Amino acid sequence: MPKLDKFDIAILNCLQEDARATNVEIAERVNLSPSPCLRRIRNLEKSGLLRGYRADIDRKQAGLGLTVFVELKVGQHSKENSETQQAALLAIPEVVACHLISGTADFLAEVVVEDLAAYEKVMSEKLLVLPGVVDLRSNFAIRTIKTNGALKLPQPE
């Protein structure tokens, strides 16, 4: 991980706030000239810390009105089974986030679909047929309070 200074943190905060900001706008906000600012942004990209840029799409306006948090439990625990499970979950486009967790389940997947009928199809055709799944529990979001919040970045020493 690259050592971040106050300028890197400020640049990342600017990009979290508005990823479409121009280099000149970011440079002004962080009190750098444009060339060093752009060099820092490129270094953050090359290091993998800054993984990409994407649009924040309103799910409901896009016709995706149902968010489901799915707990998946697998039967046989092994490195190979875990890797197979992870690859299968990554291949499901409706799964927008997924975590390997501890507790009663092994994976927690966030699934975003149009409605209950669409979720039933994803559940029966994609999730329940995953290799090794022995239990699946669905938790339906009633209302979304916050998504894609900006990370509170650590301050440099």
Side-chain angles (χ1 to χ4, degrees):
M1 185 173 108
K3 180 103 168 116
L4 302 177
D5 64 16
K6 68 179 187 174
F7 293 110
D8 296 323
I9 298 292
I11 288 168
L12 290 169
N13 283 328
C14 284
L15 288 169
Q16 284 191 107
E17 189 177 302
D18 180 8
R20 292 184 66 177
T22 66
N23 180 57
V24 172
E25 291 169 335
I26 296 168
E28 284 178 13
R29 289 186 207 164
V30 302
N31 297 318
L32 280 174
S33 60
S35 291
C37 182
L38 185 58
R39 188 169 40 255
R40 285 173 175 271
I41 291 171
R42 296 294 180 244
N43 286 339
L44 291 167
E45 291 170 346
K46 286 179 190 168
S47 74
L49 180 66
L50 185 54
R51 297 188 305 188
Y53 306 85
R54 63 181 62 115
D56 184 9
I57 298 171
D58 184 293
R59 294 173 180 190
K60 285 190 179 181
Q61 288 189 44
L64 300 168
L66 185 62
T67 299
V68 186
F69 297 94
V70 183
E71 298 174 5
L72 298 154
K73 183 163 183 58
V74 297
Q76 297 287 348
H77 290 109
S78 71
K79 183 178 179 182
E80 295 79 23
N81 287 346
S82 181
E83 289 171 354
T84 300
Q85 197 75 28
Q86 290 175 52
L89 286 162
L90 283 169
I92 300 171
E94 295 87 354
V95 174
V96 299
C98 190
H99 306 275
L100 179 65
I101 61 172
S102 65
T104 58
D106 298 301
F107 295 93
L108 179 64
E110 182 179 358
V111 176
V112 178
V113 291
E114 296 89 340
D115 53 25
L116 190 55
Y119 175 65
E120 180 183 13
K121 185 173 181 173
V122 169
M123 183 184 71
S124 62
E125 295 177 11
K126 297 180 180 181
L127 296 174
L128 286 174
V129 299
L130 289 173
V133 169
V134 295
D135 191 25
L136 180 145
R137 297 187 187 267
S138 304
N139 298 285
F140 297 89
I142 305 295
R143 179 172 15 130
T144 299
I145 308 300
K146 181 180 182 178
T147 61
N148 302 325
L151 297 173
K152 184 182 179 312
L153 299 170
Q155 296 304 308
E157 299 171 7

